[in-house]
Amino acid sequence: MKYTILLILFCLKISYGQEKKTKALVNFKPEFSQYAIIPFNFGDNYLAKANKSNVGLGTNFSFLQVQHFKLGMGYDYIFYSITDLSKTGNVGSSRYNSFYGTLAYEIKLSNELYLQPYLGLGSINLNFKNGNRSFGHQTGTDFRIGFNFDYRLNKIISAFTGIGYVSSKYDINTAPEFVSFYDNSKMLQINIGIKLKFINN
């Protein structure tokens, strides 16, 4: 009996001493992306018909990961030159600003190559200027969908390219015959940039 009790206690000690490796469902895995935007506006709307887009800049910060899903936020800035004064009046330039949240899903294709489709929803501010003089702004919401291909150079740095579609709806108060021209925009974006991981996977 004495030896049986000692054997049980010994087994219990071994079992408690073993490490249990459990993977948390929600992880804090910050990633920072910086990229150039090549925009292509299309459709019968103000940005497509009365403006010429220049190369824009974007940034995205992903901070939470639930298995392969990533939650983040981003900011896009695009400068537009006016091409049709009959549709813009005294406005000399348009500046597109978008703050948005994203939900992405990471798919591993190989040790270096990853596909990351995403959805996003955000808030837009379209500013109108002529030199240093402001001619007001429009606000609204945008919806985006797209994907990126990431190529991992090492555990911290990745290069990526991707394409996205952005549909925007603006709050506007104008004559009914002009609403459909000024209250929306549609854009395809080609994005090229780099991504930094702050915590190695």
Side-chain angles (χ1 to χ4, degrees):
M1 183 70 178
K2 178 180 175 182
Y3 294 108
T4 304
I5 293 172
L6 287 174
L7 182 61
I8 292 171
L9 291 173
F10 180 71
C11 291
L12 286 173
K13 185 176 180 181
I14 291 175
S15 65
Y16 280 122
Q18 291 176 344
E19 290 185 5
K20 292 183 179 179
K21 294 183 179 179
T22 58
K23 195 170 183 180
L25 180 63
V26 179
N27 295 285
F28 180 67
K29 292 188 175 181
E31 296 177 356
F32 177 77
S33 301
Q34 189 79 45
Y35 51 93
I37 304 168
I38 304 172
F40 299 94
N41 288 87
F42 62 94
D44 187 21
N45 57 71
Y46 169 78
L47 285 181
K49 297 296 186 180
N51 293 263
K52 177 185 176 183
S53 61
N54 296 277
V55 174
L57 293 173
T59 186
N60 189 281
F61 180 62
S62 174
F63 48 90
L64 284 182
Q65 184 168 336
V66 181
Q67 294 189 356
H68 295 290
F69 288 95
K70 296 181 178 181
L71 185 66
M73 62 180 67
Y75 169 72
D76 287 357
Y77 172 83
I78 304 170
F79 178 84
Y80 289 86
S81 305
I82 300 301
T83 58
D84 190 344
L85 291 175
S86 68
K87 294 181 173 67
T88 63
N90 294 324
V91 174
S93 64
S94 306
R95 302 177 188 198
Y96 173 95
N97 301 271
S98 175
F99 292 92
Y100 56 89
T102 57
L103 179 64
Y105 186 82
E106 188 174 73
I107 303 169
K108 183 178 180 179
L109 302 177
S110 70
N111 288 334
E112 294 82 24
L113 192 61
Y114 290 76
L115 174 65
Q116 188 168 282
Y118 63 85
L119 295 170
L121 187 66
S123 174
I124 315 166
N125 197 319
L126 191 60
N127 296 298
F128 309 108
K129 286 194 171 185
N130 193 337
N132 292 325
R133 185 179 175 188
S134 174
F135 280 87
H137 66 276
Q138 287 178 253
T139 58
T141 57
D142 70 11
F143 169 77
R144 61 187 64 224
I145 185 171
F147 61 87
N148 293 323
F149 280 107
D150 295 4
Y151 184 80
R152 293 192 177 176
L153 303 173
N154 54 48
K155 291 183 178 180
I156 298 174
I157 303 174
S158 300
F160 72 89
T161 184
I163 188 168
Y165 167 73
V166 183
S167 177
S168 304
K169 191 74 173 176
Y170 302 97
D171 303 319
I172 188 169
N173 184 16
T174 187
E177 61 267 27
F178 299 126
V179 169
S180 63
F181 185 77
Y182 292 99
D183 76 341
N184 72 95
S185 64
K186 294 176 176 62
M187 172 171 38
L188 285 177
Q189 293 182 347
I190 295 176
N191 302 322
I192 304 170
I194 60 169
K195 179 186 292 182
L196 303 176
K197 291 178 177 289
F198 293 97
I199 297 177
N200 293 343
N201 292 331

